[in-house]
């Protein structure tokens, strides 16, 4: 009699059995549903558990990406797009009974684009290198996840707020209930993300319903102040309905519109809002007084954010990507920037706004677009990050970094260490060969060394809550209001005391939540 070895990739979850695949030393499960399809009467509502299944679910391919229009330079992998997008993926070198640290990734994309299936987010190298369990997830995007229609609630139908954040919380609850069966430790979960994903991390740190679902956090390039009040949310909902049509019976129109109709209107809204109100996003979390009780920066300063270790930072040249893409998200015209500041000051007469002349002088009077790039970079990313570290360091261990490394080609193109350029280094997916565009002028060997150092820091933080480096690397001290240690990640890493002193001097010490 021939004995057949059991399939070690078959795992029993709370919803049903799933079968993965083997990728070298790593077992992989893709496209596991963590919630039911948010369609029909579930559209714009909180996620609900999927129907249980008894047959083995073949988790051998990524689930559908959330509906979105194509974007050059953002390949989503070989997946279709569908509203039924609430799935996650697991990479693990362990088996049930192991207790490996878990890292849960939230992708970016302006709350509007992206997917866990993007090749740069393949978790194999990170799981193998660090002996951790990596989880990546999809969540609702654009109008499907980040427009608050609660101002349209009726006795017959209720729109929920922040449904995409609720998606993320549902995925984190799935991790708590199931990750032990994949060899992970539910008591050692690091939540990490970049851009909109980083903004989700800094927001979820302040959400009471998310506390206890993760124990460490890493926020890369978080637009932490792109969180809005319900008055603005109601305005955005009205603008969307004007674009879509159907204001006479908005509930029926929103529930019966096709995916393509909603997506087309979502695209128009994405461009219109930052054009009408520079410096703001069409989509983002809402302070609803319930799930999100306050603006996240306020919660950090009040000490009501989760007091877990935090690693946070930005890239040196964040804005160059938006310039390259001609994106409406970050204003670059000096007159538009001045108008943006005037509008913010008018909307918040009770706030002592920093002296505008002093700010402009720190950026050479905004005489060129390069000056504007620096200001929008700091306004959108670096300042919110500094406000958070100054606050959070009073309550929990906090580490601040800046990613400065750029290959010779990216420097020659004037891109530098742009927004999102750190992602391949974190995941260990920097390149498959020297003919890829970033390495046409060399730098692959150095890039691999940068990636190894960066991965080591991120992995040690996930394991032990301290970003210890490889032997011979500088010690990265926690941030405090005296030393203000900042790790500068470059060809050679350095720790600089008060790297952002000139920035704080220009903008002032006062924390201002621009909302």
């Amino acid at each position: 009699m021939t004995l057949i070895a059991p399939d070690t990739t078959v795992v029993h979850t709370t919803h049903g059995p799933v079968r993965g695949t083997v990728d070298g030393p790593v077992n992989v499960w893709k496209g596991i549903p963590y919630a039911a399809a948010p369609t029909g009467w579930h559209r714009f509502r909180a996620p609900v558990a999927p129907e249980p299944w008894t047959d083995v679910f073949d988790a051998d391919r990524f689930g559908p990406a959330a509906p979105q229009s194509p974007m050059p330079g953002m390949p989503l992998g070989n997946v279709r797009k569908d509203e039924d997008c609430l799935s996650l993926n697991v990479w693990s070198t362990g088996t049930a009974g192991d207790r490996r640290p878990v890292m849960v990734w939230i992708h970016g994309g302006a709350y509007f684009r992206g997917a866990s299936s993007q090749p740069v987010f393949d978790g194999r190298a990170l799981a193998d290198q660090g002996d951790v369990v990596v989880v990546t997830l999809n969540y609702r995007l654009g109008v499907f996840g980040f427009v608050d229609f609660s101002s349209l609630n009726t006795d017959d139908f209720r729109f929920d707020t922040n449904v995409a954040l609720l998606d993320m919380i549902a995925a984190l609850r799935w991790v708590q209930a199931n990750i032990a069966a994949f060899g992970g430790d539910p008591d050692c979960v690091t939540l990490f993300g970049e851009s909109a994903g980083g903004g989700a991390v800094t927001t979820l740190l302040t959400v009471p319903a998310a506390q206890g679902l993760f124990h460490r956090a890493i926020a890369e390039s978080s637009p932490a102040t792109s969180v809005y009040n319900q008055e603005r949310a109601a305005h955005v909902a009205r603008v969307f309905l004007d674009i879509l049509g159907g204001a006479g019976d908005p509930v029926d129109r929103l529930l019966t519109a096709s995916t393509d109709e909603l997506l087309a209107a979502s695209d128009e809204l994405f461009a219109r809002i930052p054009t009408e109100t520079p410096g703001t996003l069409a989509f983002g979390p809402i302070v609803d007084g319930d799930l999100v009780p306050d603006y996240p920066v306020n919660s950090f300063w009040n000490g009501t954010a989760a007091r877990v270790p935090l690693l946070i930072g930005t890239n040196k040249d964040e804005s160059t990507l938006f310039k390259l893409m001609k994106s409406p998200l970050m204003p670059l015209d000096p007159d538009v920037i001045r108008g943006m500041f005037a509008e913010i000051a008018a909307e918040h007469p009770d706030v002592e706004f920093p002296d505008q002349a002093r700010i402009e002088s720190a950026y050479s009077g905004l005489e060129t677009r390069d000056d504007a790039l620096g200001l929008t970079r700091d306004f959108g990313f670096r300042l919110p990050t500094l406000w958070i570290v100054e606050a959070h360091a009073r309550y929990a261990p906090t580490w601040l970094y800046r990613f400065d490394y750029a290959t010779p080609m990216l420097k020659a193109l004037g891109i530098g260490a742009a927004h999102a350029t750190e992602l391949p280094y974190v995941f260990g997916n920097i390149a498959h060969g020297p003919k890829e565009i970033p390495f046409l002028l060399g730098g692959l060997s150095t890039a691999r060394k940068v990636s190894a150092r960066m991965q080591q820091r991120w992995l040690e933080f996930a394991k032990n809550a301290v970003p210890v480096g490889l032997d011979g690397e500088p010690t990265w001290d926690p941030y405090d209001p005296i030393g203000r240690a900042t790790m500068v990640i470059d060809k050679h890493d350095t720790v600089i005391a008060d790297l952002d002193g000139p920035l704080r001097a220009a903008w002032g010490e006062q924390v201002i939540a621009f909302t």
Side-chain angles (χ1 to χ4, degrees), residues 407-430:
T407 66
M409 186 65 180
L410 292 184
K411 289 180 179 179
L413 292 172
I415 296 172
H419 189 68
T421 54
E422 89 286 2
L423 292 175
Y425 298 85
V426 170
F427 280 87
N429 298 324
I430 56 171

Side-chain angles (χ1 to χ4, degrees), residues 130-218:
D131 201 20
V132 297
V133 178
V134 177
V135 179
T136 64
L137 61 99
N138 287 344
Y139 55 94
R140 282 173 277 184
L141 300 172
V143 68
F144 302 94
F146 287 103
V147 173
D148 177 7
F149 293 112
S150 63
S151 58
L152 305 175
N153 283 349
T154 69
D155 292 339
D156 297 323
F157 189 85
R158 175 182 176 83
F159 293 95
D160 291 321
T161 60
N162 290 306
V163 295
L165 292 181
L166 291 170
D167 293 344
M168 299 170 195
I169 291 172
L172 286 167
R173 287 176 175 155
W174 184 96
V175 168
Q176 286 296 305
N178 294 286
I179 208 64
F182 295 83
D185 184 353
D187 296 322
C188 186
V189 175
T190 298
L191 184 65
F192 70 135
E194 180 268 347
S195 192
V201 170
T202 52
T203 300
L204 288 170
L205 278 163
T206 71
V207 171
Q211 294 201 10
L213 298 179
F214 59 95
H215 314 93
R216 283 145 217 178
I218 301 174

Side-chain angles (χ1 to χ4, degrees), residues 379-442:
F379 179 77
F381 295 103
R382 192 65 182 179
L383 281 164
T385 290
L386 294 181
W387 295 334
I388 286 174
V389 296
E390 290 281 347
H392 197 62
R394 299 186 300 173
Y395 304 104
T398 306
W399 286 266
L400 175 65
Y401 76 88
R402 194 179 74 188
F403 182 80
D404 284 22
Y405 181 71
T407 66
M409 186 65 180
L410 292 184
K411 289 180 179 179
L413 292 172
I415 296 172
H419 189 68
T421 54
E422 89 286 2
L423 292 175
Y425 298 85
V426 170
F427 280 87
N429 298 324
I430 56 171
H432 299 290
K435 293 186 178 181
E436 295 191 18
I437 291 176
F439 303 102
L440 291 180
L441 297 180

Side-chain angles (χ1 to χ4, degrees), residues 232 235-236 238-240 242-243 268-282 328 336 339-340 343 347:
R232 180 188 181 277
H235 168 72
V236 171
R238 289 193 297 271
V239 173
F240 181 82
D242 287 343
I243 297 170
E268 185 172 337
L269 185 73
F270 174 77
R272 181 184 294 189
I273 292 298
T275 301
E276 294 178 350
T277 312
T280 65
L281 305 179
V336 173
M340 176 182 71
E343 184 170 342
E347 289 180 355

Side-chain angles (χ1 to χ4, degrees), residues 36-329:
T39 55
W41 284 91
H42 293 298
R43 184 186 268 176
F44 309 120
R45 301 292 303 276
V48 297
E51 288 292 327
W53 60 86
T54 54
D55 293 338
V56 175
F57 177 89
D58 282 316
D60 57 356
R61 68 196 67 185
F62 290 111
Q68 59 194 279
S69 296
M71 177 179 172
M74 185 182 278
L76 301 182
N78 186 25
V79 297
R80 61 188 177 89
K81 300 162 191 170
D82 197 284
E83 287 188 64
D84 185 7
C85 62
L86 302 184
S87 66
L88 52 77
N89 321 292
V90 181
W91 287 262
S92 177
T93 56
T95 57
D98 296 331
R99 293 185 69 85
R100 286 167 166 74
V102 181
M103 300 181 73
V104 179
W105 174 254
I106 302 178
H107 71 77
Y111 301 110
F112 181 63
R113 288 191 173 99
S116 64
S117 55
Q118 290 173 245
V120 71
F121 303 141
D122 187 293
R124 179 190 184 280
L126 193 60
D128 184 23
Q129 174 70 23
D131 201 20
V132 297
V133 178
V134 177
V135 179
T136 64
L137 61 99
N138 287 344
Y139 55 94
R140 282 173 277 184
L141 300 172
V143 68
F144 302 94
F146 287 103
V147 173
D148 177 7
F149 293 112
S150 63
S151 58
L152 305 175
N153 283 349
T154 69
D155 292 339
D156 297 323
F157 189 85
R158 175 182 176 83
F159 293 95
D160 291 321
T161 60
N162 290 306
V163 295
L165 292 181
L166 291 170
D167 293 344
M168 299 170 195
I169 291 172
L172 286 167
R173 287 176 175 155
W174 184 96
V175 168
Q176 286 296 305
N178 294 286
I179 208 64
F182 295 83
D185 184 353
D187 296 322
C188 186
V189 175
T190 298
L191 184 65
F192 70 135
E194 180 268 347
S195 192
V201 170
T202 52
T203 300
L204 288 170
L205 278 163
T206 71
V207 171
Q211 294 201 10
L213 298 179
F214 59 95
H215 314 93
R216 283 145 217 178
I218 301 174
E220 303 169 23
S221 302
S222 167
T225 51
S226 295
V227 180
Y228 306 105
N229 62 33
Q230 286 193 289
E231 181 180 357
R232 180 188 181 277
H235 168 72
V236 171
R238 289 193 297 271
V239 173
F240 181 82
L241 279 171
D242 287 343
I243 297 170
L244 180 68
D249 191 353
V251 173
D252 180 72
R253 180 66 174 131
L254 289 168
L255 294 182
T256 60
S258 70
T259 301
D260 288 343
E261 287 178 308
L262 291 174
L263 183 58
S266 189
D267 285 349
E268 185 172 337
L269 185 73
F270 174 77
R272 181 184 294 189
I273 292 298
T275 301
E276 294 178 350
T277 312
T280 65
L281 305 179
F283 309 110
I286 300 299
V287 178
D288 57 10
D290 182 16
L291 189 77
V292 182
D294 198 353
Y295 296 107
V297 170
N298 290 345
S299 294
F300 280 103
W301 277 94
N302 294 338
T304 55
R307 299 184 180 186
V308 301
L310 172 65
L311 192 159
I312 187 170
T314 64
N315 293 1
K316 182 181 180 181
D317 305 302
E318 295 277 5
S319 297
T320 56
L321 176 67
F322 300 95
K323 176 185 177 182
L324 179 69
M325 296 166 52
K326 298 181 179 179
S327 169
L329 296 181

Side-chain angles (χ1 to χ4, degrees), residues 476-491:
W476 187 0
D477 294 322
Y479 190 92
D480 65 59
I482 298 175
R484 293 189 167 99
T486 304
M487 172 65 73
V488 177
I489 301 169
D490 207 336
K491 187 174 182 178

